[in-house]
Amino acid sequence: MLTLKIKRIVIILTVIILLAVFPILYYYKSSIGFNIERITGTQQGMINKYFHTKLNDESLIKNFVIKKDIEFHYCIEAELAVPENKINEIFAYYDKHKKITVEEMDEDYFRAQMYSKIGVNKDNFDYQYNIFDSVYRKALLGVSETHTQRTSTLIFTKPVDGYVRVYLYIDKLGWKLADKT
């Protein structure tokens, strides 16, 4: 009789533990590495890693926010003040990408919430980069994969007092980059 109660308790505890482990495994598979980095990493290190920059001590991080977007994916929004004479060195990675200038943008584009929120308009806008990468993450227990697109946006303003304001945005953090084959 006593052994039957012990077996029942062991079975119930096993079921409870398994039910608790499955969500943890999903969380682990999807973004545990990013969450550890979010807690232990530096702002400059994360900007350098995710935006492929080489920020130096002369650059100022004016604003840095990690938040979840509407689909509950992590994203970074940051505002930098970068010395005008160091822009090409710090953002050298983007030389191979298409630079979007004010001549290529519609006037209505600057009425978008993103631009008005950061105070960028047609008069102070210089150029921007939009980078789209394919990313994926494995579902629970690695049975399947979910693929989507990661967006990186870098907006550069015209220099003021020797500094360029740079606005950075990237989403789908914690997802792995897919092979570009």
Side-chain angles (χ1 to χ4, degrees):
M1 183 99 166
L2 185 60
T3 59
L4 189 59
K5 283 186 175 185
I6 292 173
K7 284 183 182 179
R8 179 182 280 167
I9 291 172
V10 168
I11 291 171
I12 290 172
L13 286 175
T14 303
V15 168
I16 290 171
I17 290 170
L18 288 175
L19 289 175
V21 167
F22 282 127
I24 292 169
L25 285 176
Y26 178 75
Y27 186 71
Y28 172 77
K29 285 286 190 183
S30 64
S31 61
I32 191 72
F34 174 74
N35 279 301
I36 291 170
E37 183 180 17
R38 183 171 64 102
I39 294 165
T40 62
T42 64
Q43 293 176 352
Q44 182 175 342
M46 293 180 80
I47 289 171
N48 284 339
K49 177 181 178 180
Y50 291 106
F51 293 98
H52 309 286
T53 61
K54 297 175 185 167
L55 284 182
N56 55 28
D57 292 336
E58 297 175 57
S59 302
L60 305 171
I61 300 173
K62 297 177 81 176
N63 187 20
F64 181 88
V65 177
I66 298 174
K67 61 183 185 177
K68 290 189 176 185
D69 65 12
I70 196 164
E71 295 176 336
F72 301 102
H73 302 300
Y74 285 108
C75 61
I76 291 177
E77 290 182 5
E79 178 184 352
L80 311 175
V82 179
E84 180 180 7
N85 61 349
K86 299 286 185 181
I87 281 286
N88 293 334
E89 176 185 328
I90 292 171
F91 294 94
Y93 170 83
Y94 295 95
D95 289 345
K96 62 186 176 188
H97 295 285
K98 181 177 176 4
K99 182 187 283 189
I100 301 169
T101 61
V102 71
E103 291 81 21
E104 299 173 69
M105 297 178 70
D106 184 12
E107 176 114 10
D108 292 335
Y109 206 80
F110 293 104
R111 292 189 187 116
Q113 181 180 3
M114 178 175 71
Y115 291 96
S116 61
K117 183 173 111 178
I118 60 178
V120 172
N121 57 44
K122 191 172 183 174
D123 297 328
N124 66 0
F125 175 86
D126 198 5
Y127 59 92
Q128 80 178 42
Y129 295 102
N130 294 325
I131 313 299
F132 304 102
D133 291 314
S134 180
V135 293
Y136 73 95
R137 69 175 172 189
K138 294 200 180 278
L140 184 61
L141 299 175
V143 175
S144 66
E145 292 180 352
T146 302
H147 291 260
T148 190
Q149 179 174 288
R150 172 185 286 168
T151 304
S152 304
T153 301
L154 294 85
I155 301 171
F156 296 78
T157 64
K158 293 177 181 168
V160 175
D161 298 329
Y163 279 86
V164 174
R165 286 176 35 210
V166 183
Y167 298 93
L168 310 172
Y169 174 84
I170 189 169
D171 60 10
K172 308 296 187 297
L173 298 170
W175 292 61
K176 296 181 182 180
L177 283 173
D179 293 331
K180 293 185 177 185
T181 55

